[in-house]
Amino acid sequence: MTNHHQSTRGKPRVALVTCAALPDLDPDDRLVLDPLAARGVHAEAAIWDDPTVDWSGHDLVVLRSPWDYALRRDEFVAWARTVPALVNPADVVAWNTDKRYLAELSAAGAPTVPTVWIAPGERWTPPATGEHVLKPAVSAGSQDTGRYDLADPEHRELAAAHARRLGAAGRVTMVQPYLDAVDTAGETALLYLAGPDGLVFSHAIRKGPMLTGPDRGEAALYKEERIDARAATAEQRAVADTVLAAVPGGTDRLLYARVDLIPGPDGSPVLVELELTEPSLFVGYADGAPDRLADAILAHLPRRP
């Protein structure tokens, strides 16, 4: 690798972290390259587990699409702790890559989807009725996630097998009620990007339903999503503010945040996930969002150690 001081020639150097399956970045992430170049920033894709990368040779290391970490979460967190100038920071990565953070947010007053947690080796009997979602507590891109109608004997058997499969792999299983509103209203993702004084709301998108049935163990890096632009409501913004206020250590250190909400049974928004590690930011769905992301990266450059 070229010497850091020779390669930048006065320009800040930023690594956009990805995985081996996406060596040239996700298409949405590539939209920030030209705005960064226009701001005098040299940005390049870097694969998180590539041993030849000199992470200390970058002024800022931005987590973007390292979506293969789920089965190597401990290795990924250990790697994050070795990387200087990482955003979002390594302690946030450690907290946010295990979805048991949802229990902490719920205890702090954030409205969340009710969740049952099944530890490896723990016996679980599926409820007799209702649609439920099963997924691992550590996952990305809806991997190993299935939807089950537990009134159907076959689905009950498949759900139990899903939980056993995850448990046998040493993974914690999450069981949540399937919220019907995702089929109509869809899921709303609220995107926040860093400004001079901390996180600022940037834009929102709608995600259509993705789960059509049981998970049968097929491997996939991520599931395709149907995305549309959406205007966030005042109620959704208020819930997102409550969620972000409960982030350990505060949000001033964050480059980005994504708050995923679905209408609950009474129509009020509830938190599905808080994405602080490697979320798609959907900057291609909002005017000016690639520039806002570039400005967010620029705002974090002076904060490097």
Side-chain angles (χ1 to χ4, degrees), residues 67-88:
W67 293 334
D68 61 356
Y69 77 85
L71 297 179
R72 295 185 289 156
R73 185 250 180 183
D74 290 348
E75 179 186 345
F76 181 67
V77 170
W79 164 82
R81 288 177 173 143
T82 70
V83 178
L86 182 72
V87 283
N88 286 333

Side-chain angles (χ1 to χ4, degrees), residues 217-267:
E218 300 95 346
L221 187 64
Y222 57 91
K223 287 183 168 66
E224 293 295 333
E225 301 172 314
R226 175 173 176 177
I227 308 298
D228 300 290
R230 166 169 277 180
T233 67
E235 187 178 20
Q236 289 169 335
R237 293 278 299 273
V239 169
D241 288 344
T242 298
V243 169
L244 292 171
V247 172
T251 58
D252 288 348
R253 302 176 301 145
L254 303 182
L255 176 62
Y256 50 70
R258 196 181 91 195
V259 183
D260 293 346
L261 304 175
I262 292 178
D266 66 354

Side-chain angles (χ1 to χ4, degrees), residues 102 104-113 239 242-244 246 270-271:
L102 289 168
E104 294 182 38
L105 295 178
S106 178
T112 61
V113 180
V239 169
T242 298
V243 169
L244 292 171
V270 296
L271 178 70

